[in-house]
Structures are given as structure tokens and as C-alpha cells.
Amino acid sequence: MTGDRVGLAIVGAGAISDEYLENLTRFPDVSVHVVADALPDRARSQAKKHGVPGWGTIDDALAHPDVEIVANLTIPAAHAEVSAAILRAGRHVWTEKPLAVDLASGAELLELATRRGLRLGCAPDTILGPGLQAAQRAIASGLIGEPLSAITLMQDPGPESWHPNPEFLYAKGGGPLWDRGPYYLAMLTLLLGPLRSVTAVARSASAQRTIGDGSRAGTAFPVEVPTHVGVMTEFATGALAQSVYSFDSALPRNGFVEISGTEGTLAVPDPNQFTGDLLLFPARRWTVDDLIAIGGVEPARSEWTVLPTPPSTAKRGTGILDMASSIRAGVAHRASGELGYHVLDALTAIDHAATSRSCVEVQSTVESPEALPDGWDPYDTAL
Ligand SMILES: NC(=O)c1ccc[n+]([C@@H]2O[C@H](COP(=O)([O-])OP(=O)(O)OC[C@H]3O[C@@H](n4cnc5c(N)ncnc54)[C@H](O)[C@@H]3O)[C@@H](O)[C@H]2O)c1
């Protein structure tokens, strides 16, 4: 601990570590002491780039006396093993999503953290961004009445065109469902509560893909997971949702989320982003002439009411900051291991539903995290 700041280390110095390090080295309530990676050169170059004093292996990170929380930014297949090592060393863990690539490993992490009295936090922390926080408050205030249903759509040609190491995104723990699904499933849990059951269909359009960028551009690699998944969800409240997760579409259309309630429909910002305006379409009494006048598939966006959301002052790392101040305050952190486990349970159930062609219960449940105080700013010090 430096002053009352919470000491951090990062394990996994890959593509997403820049965004974490940019934020975590600037938030006043935390200090990053070490960047670690299985590839020490990567750790050293990211530490130097972001002015972090220490670098090395995961053992170096865990040996540092001031490190209280370790952020696990490794690839999904390594999440459970790396998080377990961190917990066994007596440090709190924040892990990138998914919590693990199988349910048993996720349950072991929850149990290990509880037994050792340590915190387990899990991405996505976009649910703490101004956009989804505004949506949470709007729905809780009754803006659309009782929420009845949701439609979500995420489709694009896949990340191999820009990610220099995309293999993990098509291996177990990857694919559009496991890579992007956590954003949508965490958001839906935040706004509609826990899932009860799912049915799904899934397929892969091709057995291999080709790296499009970086030093290995042109290299083919295998596709091990479905690349188009359609899901129907029932929530514990009785609300319903239909969702598409696809890397098989030429047309990128990401972050489409609409929630319909008894009093209106709310278009919610992209759950993979930290902010974005809300759009409200209040319920009204339609005449046949009104409906004919629409002419297209839906009323023009100009007919919606824009509910502006403040710009985002911080991005990835917000969940770690909330965990750090919650540790000091002795209260629950919001992007919790339990929420990560419920999302993992839902991902597993969707896979099972698609392969068994059946409706699968989501066994776990979780309480939606409390909204952040209005105007919460990660650059204000809470310690
Ligand atoms: N890239 C993105 O835009 C993005 C966005 C949001 C979330 N994420 C998530 O962040 C995580 C990392 O993604 P990425 O794109 O940075 O991957 P990446 O492949 O670029 O980096 C992963 C890093 O982890 C290291 N690593 C792997 N196993 C390790 C182990 N056992 N011990 C120590 N280091 C190990 C690798 O050497 C590599 O440097 C994934 O869970 C991904 O879902 C990525």
C-alpha cells in the first residue's frame, strides 16, 4: 500500500493491457507496481511505456509486498489457472472475461476466494460506465414501465482482420458468444435481473480463418467454436430476450440493444462501450394511418427522445477501481465474481442448449449490483 492507495499488478501484457494501464496509472486511488507476462519482454515494454516501476513474471508480481489486487488479462484458457494462483498467494483478483472456460473452474474460484476471504472481480466493467448506469437508473425509475423483452444484436466479420493474435478468439472460451456475449449477458442481468433458461442454435460458417494484420498476416488457423449463435432467453422475472452473436456477417452491426416495457422502448448504449446516449420511444396509441405513414420497418430515429448521457471519464479499469475502494470501505464491489459466474453459467447453458437442441436452465442466480452514485468520477479520490 502506498499511502492509502491500493497497490496493483497486471498479469498479461497483450492487446488490452494498454487501455487498462492508461487508466490505472492515472486513477488517484490505485498504484500499479508490476506488469507481468509469460513473455518477459512484453511485460518490460508495457511497463516502460506506461511508467510502471516493476516488470517480470507472475511470481515477481505476487512477491511484491505492495500488490493487493492482481488484474488477470491473460487469454481465456489461462484465466482460471492464473486467478487461482493469485488467490492462493493471498491477493485479490480482477479477471478479464470470461471468469473461466468451464463452470467447474469458475465455481472453484468463487469457493477459493470465499475460503481465503479475498475479492474476486470479473469483467466487463462497461456495466459501470455512464451509459449502462444511466440505463439501469432509467429502468429502475419506471421509465419504460415493467420491462417485458429485449432484442440484442452483435454481428461482424470477426476480429482476425485487426487482432495480431486472434487464435484464442476462435478457441474454447472464444467465438462471438464467449468473447462478446459477456458484455450483453452482464448488461441484461444488470437491467433485467438473472437469467432463468435459454434455448439456442449455433453453427460455424468455415473451419478456418486467416490472420489479417501484424507479423503473422496470411497465416491460417482453425475455428474450434461456433461463429454464429442465436439465443432465446427467459429471465427470472418472466421477461424474454432474443440475441444474435455472430462473426459470420459481412455487415458490422454491434451494440444494438432495445428493451421494451409496458410504457415504452429504451435503446441502450453498446454494452461493449462505456457511454452512449439512451433513446426512448414512449408507448402511444397508434392509428392505422400512423402505421402506414411510417413507411419503413420502424419509426425514424428522429421520432425517439434522446436522453443524453455524460461522456465517459474512464474506461477499462473502472471495475478494479470500484473493487479497490470497496475493499477499503468494507462493502461489496459491483462487477463481482458472482456476476461473472452467472454470465459463465449462461454461456455454458447456451452452448449446451445449442448442442442438445433443448431448453437449458441457468442454475445460478445473482443480485444486480447497486448503481454507482450519480456523478461518480474515477478521478475523484475516495480513499
Ligand atoms: N483485445 C481486446 O480488444 C480485448 C477487449 C476486451 C477484453 N479483452 C480480454 O482481455 C484478455 C486478453 O486479451 P488480449 O487481446 O489482450 O490478448 P493477447 O493475446 O493480446 O494478450 C494476452 C497476454 O497474456 C499472456 N499470457 C497468456 N497466458 C499467460 C499465463 N499463463 N501467464 C502469464 N501471461 C500469460 C500472453 O503472453 C499475452 O501477452 C482476454 O480475456 C480478452 O477476452 C480483450
Side-chain angles (χ1 to χ4, degrees):
M1 194 165 85
T2 313
D4 213 20
R5 286 177 172 223
V6 176
L8 309 179
I10 301 281
V11 180
I16 202 58
S17 65
D18 271 324
E19 192 176 318
Y20 274 93
L21 284 163
E22 271 159 27
N23 294 318
L24 293 171
T25 53
R26 290 189 174 86
F27 295 158
D29 285 347
V30 292
S31 292
V32 186
H33 296 294
V34 185
V35 178
D37 198 287
L39 303 173
D41 284 352
R42 230 180 239 191
R44 184 168 55 105
S45 89
Q46 284 300 79
K48 285 191 168 291
K49 182 175 171 185
H50 294 279
V52 174
W55 59 82
T57 63
I58 182 169
D59 290 339
D60 295 321
L62 296 176
H64 194 293
D66 292 334
V67 168
E68 297 173 69
I69 302 175
V70 181
N72 177 0
L73 311 184
T74 62
I75 56 172
H79 284 176
E81 185 192 333
V82 169
S83 293
I86 297 165
L87 290 168
R88 280 195 211 100
R91 312 303 165 98
H92 308 290
V93 181
W94 167 270
T95 177
E96 252 304 335
K97 45 74 186 169
L99 181 66
V101 296
D102 65 275
L103 212 46
S105 301
E108 278 169 28
L109 289 176
L110 280 185
E111 192 274 327
L112 186 57
T114 305
R115 186 153 40 87
R116 301 245 172 166
L118 293 166
R119 303 289 184 117
L120 178 60
C122 187
D125 52 3
T126 46
I127 58 168
L128 304 182
L132 295 185
Q133 286 285 305
Q136 183 181 10
R137 288 194 199 94
I139 290 174
S141 75
L143 189 71
I144 58 167
E146 180 197 347
L148 298 174
S149 64
I151 301 177
T152 77
L153 175 57
M154 169 273 117
Q155 61 172 39
D156 61 40
E160 71 276 19
S161 62
W162 59 267
H163 199 295
N165 306 301
E167 288 93 333
F168 79 85
L169 294 162
Y170 290 90
K172 187 171 164 61
L177 175 66
W178 285 71
D179 183 54
R180 307 287 179 80
Y183 298 105
Y184 292 81
L185 291 162
M187 174 270 302
L188 288 169
T189 306
L190 183 78
L191 302 182
L192 298 178
L195 286 73
R196 180 189 287 159
S197 69
V198 291
T199 51
V201 287
R203 70 174 294 216
S204 305
S206 59
Q208 65 174 35
R209 299 251 175 166
T210 304
I211 300 176
D213 194 22
S215 59
R216 296 186 303 130
T219 309
F221 63 92
V223 172
E224 296 165 6
V225 290
T227 48
H228 184 107
V229 184
V231 186
M232 296 205 290
T233 304
E234 183 192 19
F235 294 83
T237 60
L240 304 174
Q242 284 161 289
S243 301
V244 168
Y245 304 99
S246 184
F247 287 161
D248 286 341
S249 171
L251 173 65
R253 193 184 275 142
N254 281 291
F256 180 96
V257 180
E258 285 180 359
I259 309 224
S260 288
T262 50
E263 306 297 330
T265 293
L266 190 67
V268 172
D270 183 345
N272 194 5
Q273 303 295 328
F274 280 78
T275 194
D277 293 339
L278 305 181
L279 291 169
L280 174 67
F281 198 91
R284 63 160 112 151
R285 191 169 171 281
W286 293 93
T287 65
V288 172
D289 288 344
D290 287 337
L291 291 169
I292 291 169
I294 291 170
V297 289
E298 59 177 310
R301 283 284 165 178
S302 57
E303 291 202 32
W304 295 61
T305 305
V306 179
L307 307 174
T309 312
S312 178
T313 51
K315 296 188 176 176
R316 288 184 171 91
T318 310
I320 297 177
L321 183 63
D322 176 58
M323 193 162 132
S325 53
S326 300
I327 289 169
R328 289 285 186 271
V331 298
H333 57 284
R334 291 173 172 80
S336 65
E338 285 75 12
L339 179 56
Y341 182 80
H342 185 64
V343 167
L344 174 62
D345 196 2
L347 294 167
T348 309
I350 292 167
D351 271 352
H352 182 199
T355 49
S356 65
R357 295 172 179 269
S358 62
C359 176
V360 176
E361 301 287 315
V362 179
Q363 299 290 340
S364 62
T365 188
V366 69
E367 281 187 23
S368 292
E370 204 180 298
L372 284 162
D374 215 351
W376 182 82
D377 185 340
Y379 290 95
D380 290 342
T381 179
L383 304 184

